[in-house]
C-alpha cells in the first residue's frame, strides 16, 4: 500500500466541443496530424496515449488503469482543476486580418515542420481541413468549459465508489463571483472530514493571485480561505513551478498582489495596473510556449508571493507541488543560482513546519529526465529530519503520460532511487499531510 499524493481524474468535460474535435483531428493520424514525430516537444505517441488515458476516459477507469499499471494497492489523491476562467477573454476584441494570418502560420508550424509552414499551398490545404477549429486561430478564445460543478459531481461519484482509496482535492477559481456567499461557502460545503473532498488545490497561473482577497487578508482575524484551512488543518496543494500550464489570456482583471521583477517583490495589482487589468508581454497562440507560461508563473506564482501567504498564515498545511518543477530541480542539481524555485521550497520547508512538497511530474518535455537517485542523494539526504518528513511521492498522472507513458516504470524509478525511504515519502508523510490515520 502506498499513496500517490498528486494525480488528476479530469475528463473531456473540461474541454469545449471545438477543442475536443481539434485534439481528435491532430491525434487521429489524419493528414492534419503530424502522426509521427513530435508536437512541439511532445512525442505524438505520448500525446495519443495521453488522450486515451484521460480525455477519452472516466474517473473510475482512470483509477483502475492506474491500479493496473502500479500492480499494487494504492490510494489516489486526484486534484481538481477549475479552468472556468483560463481562456475567457476579458474583452471581446475583434481579431485583425494580420493577427489571423500570424496565428494561421503559427498553427501550421505547431503541427508541422518549419519547411512545411513556409509553403503557401500546404498551409492553405491544412487550414481548409481545420475548418471548424477556428478557435485556435483566435476567433473564439473559449477552449475550456465552465466545468466546476461537472468536475465536483464526477469526483463525488468516484469517491463514493472507492471510499477508502480515493481522496480528492477540491478546486474553485476565486473569480466565481456568482457563488452565493462566496467561494469559501462552497469550499466549506465540500471539503473536510466526513466530506467528499479532503483538501484544496490552487493553481494561480490560471489567472489569480495567491493573495486574492477571498484567499488572503492582511488582517489575519478576517475569515478567508487560508484562515479557515489553517484553523481546520485542511491540506492545500499549490502548483509550484514556472512550467506546466497557465491561462491563455493576453490580459485579465487581477486582485491582490503580483510579483514585479523590476521591484524584486510583490506589489498590489491596483497600484500597478489601470482598472486592475494585467497585460502580458507574450500572447497566445505562441510557439514559445515555455516562455509564455513562465511569464504568467512569475507574475502570479512567484515564491515571494507564497512567502507572503506563509508569513500571514504560518501554520497553513501547504504542499508546493513539483518541488519547483523538473527544469528547476535539474538546475538545482547542477548548482545553478537560477534554481530559486527549488531553493525556495527548501527554505520554506525549513522556516515553516507545515510546508510539504511533492515530487510529481519529475519528467520533462525535453527528454532530459531528472535522475531520481541524484535528487535523493543531493537534495533529500541534505534535508533535516523533520523536513524529510514533508516530502511526498506523486505522479501527476495522467499529465505524466505526455512525458512518460508507463506509470509502473515511474513508480519503480522512485522505489529504486529512494530505496528504504520510499515508504516514508509514499505512506507516512502523505498520511500526515492528508490527516489520514491508520494507513499502513
Ligand atoms: Zn498536477
Amino acid at each position: 500500500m502506498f499513496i500517490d499524493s498528486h494525480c488528476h481524474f479530469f475528463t473531456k468535460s473540461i474541454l469545449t466541443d471545438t477543442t475536443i474535435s481539434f485534439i481528435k483531428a491532430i491525434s487521429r493520424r489524419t493528414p492534419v496530424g503530424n502522426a509521427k514525430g513530435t508536437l512541439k516537444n511532445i512525442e505524438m505517441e505520448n500525446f495519443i496515449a495521453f488522450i486515451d488515458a484521460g480525455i477519452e476516459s472516466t474517473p473510475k477507469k482512470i483509477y483502475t488503469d492506474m491500479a493496473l499499471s502500479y500492480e499494487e494497492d494504492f490510494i489516489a489523491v486526484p486534484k481538481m482543476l477549475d479552468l472556468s476562467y483560463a481562456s475567457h477573454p476579458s474583452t471581446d476584441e475583434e481579431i485583425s486580418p494580420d493577427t489571423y494570418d500570424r496565428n494561421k502560420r503559427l498553427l501550421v508550424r505547431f503541427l508541422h515542420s518549419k519547411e512545411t509552414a513556409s509553403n503557401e499551398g500546404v498551409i492553405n490545404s491544412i487550414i481548409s481541413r481545420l475548418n471548424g477549429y477556428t478557435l485556435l486561430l483566435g476567433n473564439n478564445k473559449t477552449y475550456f468549459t465552465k466545468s466546476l460543478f461537472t468536475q465536483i459531481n464526477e469526483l463525488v461519484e468516484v469517491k463514493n465508489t472507492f471510499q477508502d482509496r480515493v481522496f480528492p482535492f477540491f478546486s474553485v477559481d476565486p473569480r466565481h463571483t456568482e457563488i452565493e456567499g462566496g467561494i469559501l461557502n462552497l469550499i466549506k460545503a465540500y471539503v473536510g472530514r466526513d466530506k467528499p473532498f479532503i483538501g484544496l488545490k490552487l493553481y494561480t497561473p490560471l489567472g489569480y493571485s495567491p493573495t486574492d482577497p477571498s484567499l488572503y487578508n492582511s488582517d489575519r482575524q478576517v475569515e478567508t480561505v487560508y484562515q479557515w484551512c489553517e484553523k481546520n488543518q485542511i491540506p492545500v496543494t499549490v502548483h509550484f513551478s514556472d512550467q506546466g500550464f497557465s491561462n491563455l489570456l493576453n490580459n485579465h482583471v487581477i486582485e491582490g498582489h503580483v510579483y514585479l521583477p523590476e521591484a524584486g517583490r510583490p506589489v498590489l495589482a491596483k497600484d500597478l495596473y489601470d482598472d486592475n487589468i494585467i497585460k502580458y508581454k507574450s500572447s497566445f497562440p505562441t510557439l514559445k510556449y515555455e516562455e509564455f507560461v513562465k511569464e504568467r508563473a512569475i507574475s502570479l506564482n512567484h515564491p515571494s508571493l507564497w512567502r507572503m501567504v506563509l508569513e500571514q498564515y504560518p501554520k497553513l498545511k501547504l504542499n508546493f507541488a513539483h518541488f519547483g518543477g523538473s527544469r528547476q530541480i535539474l538546475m538545482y542539481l547542477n548548482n545553478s543560482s537560477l534554481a530559486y524555485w527549488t531553493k525556495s521550497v527548501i527554505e520554506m520547508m525549513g522556516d515553516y513546519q507545515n510546508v510539504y512538497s511533492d515530487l510529481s511530474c519529475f519528467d520533462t518535455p525535453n527528454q532530459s529526465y531528472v535522475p531520481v537517485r541524484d535528487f535523493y542523494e543531493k537534495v533529500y539526504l541534505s534535508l533535516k529530519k523533520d523536513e524529510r518528513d514533508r516530502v511526498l511521492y506523486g505522479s501527476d498522472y495522467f499529465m505524466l503520460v505526455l512525458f512518460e507513458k508507463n506509470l509502473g516504470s515511474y513508480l519503480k524509478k522512485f522505489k529504486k532511487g529512494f530505496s528504504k525511504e520510499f515508504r516514508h515519502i509514499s505512506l507516512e508523510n502523505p498520511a500526515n499531510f492528508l490527516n489520514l490515520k491508520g494507513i499502513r
Side-chain angles (χ1 to χ4, degrees), residues 6-8 10 79 201 203 239 321-322 360-361 396-397 399:
H6 186 144
C7 60
H8 299 284
F10 34 73
K79 318 276 179 178
K201 165 83 188 250
Y203 202 114
H239 177 79
H322 318 300
S360 62
C361 210
D396 214 9
Y397 189 86
M399 298 296 107

